[in-house]
Amino acid sequence: MEIKQTFAGSAANPVPAPVISAASQLSSDFAVFLRMLTARMQYQDPLNPIDSTDYATQLATFSGVEHAVETNDLLRALTTQLGVGGLSDMATWVGKEVRFSGPAAFDGQPITLYPKSTAGAETWDISVRNAEGEEVQRIPVVPGASEVNWSGLQYDGLTAPEGIYSFVAIGRTNGQIVGETTVETYAKVTEARLEAGRQMLILQGGAKVAFESVTAVRQG
């Protein structure tokens, strides 16, 4: 008489073994991983057991993933500490004036502009644009001048409304535009903050500038 051996997880009643993927399914909870591994050992085919090296590989993989997670956590914590530390240093700038290139607030008082003219253009103008990007004034730059004042007047001769304005230096040769450069100005710092991990300075009037864009600091 033929004797047949049956066992849990045989071909007749297969029990699917848990699929272990260290990269996608393992978490930092080592107990969960051990339960999954134990279940796989319990339901394996006793006539065709899994090679012990497979378990060792999975343990090593989990250990690597766990260490990577811990390293990422440490790096995030370090980044946060550095950001907060930098923010503390930036807090001393509140009340001072910083020089930067970017939109600035106009409050009815003239704004001193510092164009970065380059060689290759016969003439330079500064284009003053409102928050909608519309040009409201064009200021000629005297050759060799390091600074230019915008009184706040528009093309129509009226004073521009208070708000945020941007400035672009435009170089021309024979009437043709040959280059555009940034224009710097000073503004008082009212707040320092972190935004998406970046150190930002909030300026008087609501404009803001990234810390790394500041080129000079002076007493307000």
Side-chain angles (χ1 to χ4, degrees):
M1 181 176 62
E2 182 181 3
I3 299 176
K4 294 183 180 181
Q5 181 180 12
T6 61
F7 50 87
S10 65
N13 297 289
V15 177
V19 178
I20 299 176
S21 173
S24 61
Q25 296 185 22
L26 295 183
S27 67
S28 59
D29 188 349
F30 191 61
V32 173
F33 173 74
L34 289 179
R35 285 197 296 269
M36 295 175 66
L37 193 61
T38 301
R40 184 170 185 180
M41 294 175 64
Q42 179 180 356
Y43 295 114
Q44 69 178 326
D45 185 348
L47 299 180
N48 185 27
I50 300 174
D51 191 342
S52 59
T53 57
D54 184 30
Y55 294 117
T57 300
Q58 293 183 44
L59 285 170
T61 302
F62 178 85
S63 179
V65 172
E66 188 176 36
H67 289 157
V69 170
E70 291 177 353
T71 300
N72 289 338
D73 289 342
L74 290 173
L75 288 175
R76 279 193 292 269
L78 181 59
T79 301
T80 300
Q81 290 177 0
L82 290 176
V84 173
L87 192 60
S88 299
D89 294 337
M90 291 169 57
T92 61
W93 291 18
V94 174
K96 296 181 180 180
E97 292 184 340
V98 294
R99 180 166 166 170
F100 66 101
S101 59
F106 173 67
D107 60 2
Q109 299 299 315
I111 296 179
T112 301
L113 306 172
Y114 304 88
K116 294 182 179 180
S117 58
T118 57
E122 295 177 348
T123 61
W124 286 90
D125 296 322
I126 294 180
S127 172
V128 183
R129 302 168 184 176
N130 60 22
E132 287 71 39
E134 301 170 342
E135 185 175 87
V136 301
Q137 183 59 279
R138 182 71 63 87
I139 309 170
V141 179
V142 177
S146 59
E147 60 182 64
V148 178
N149 286 323
W150 177 48
S151 63
L153 294 181
Q154 304 178 114
Y155 281 127
D156 56 11
L158 300 177
T159 300
E162 294 185 4
I164 304 297
Y165 292 83
S166 58
F167 311 93
V168 179
I170 302 174
R172 287 183 170 82
T173 297
N174 297 325
Q176 301 296 319
I177 296 177
V178 295
E180 295 186 359
T181 62
T182 58
V183 176
E184 294 185 335
T185 187
Y186 277 95
K188 181 174 290 187
V189 178
T190 60
E191 181 185 354
R193 67 170 66 155
L194 288 176
E195 291 187 358
R198 295 187 68 191
Q199 298 171 333
M200 305 294 294
L201 296 172
I202 311 304
L203 308 177
Q204 192 170 20
K208 60 183 176 180
V209 60
F211 170 74
E212 61 270 17
S213 299
V214 173
T215 59
V217 183
R218 70 185 184 186
Q219 292 294 336

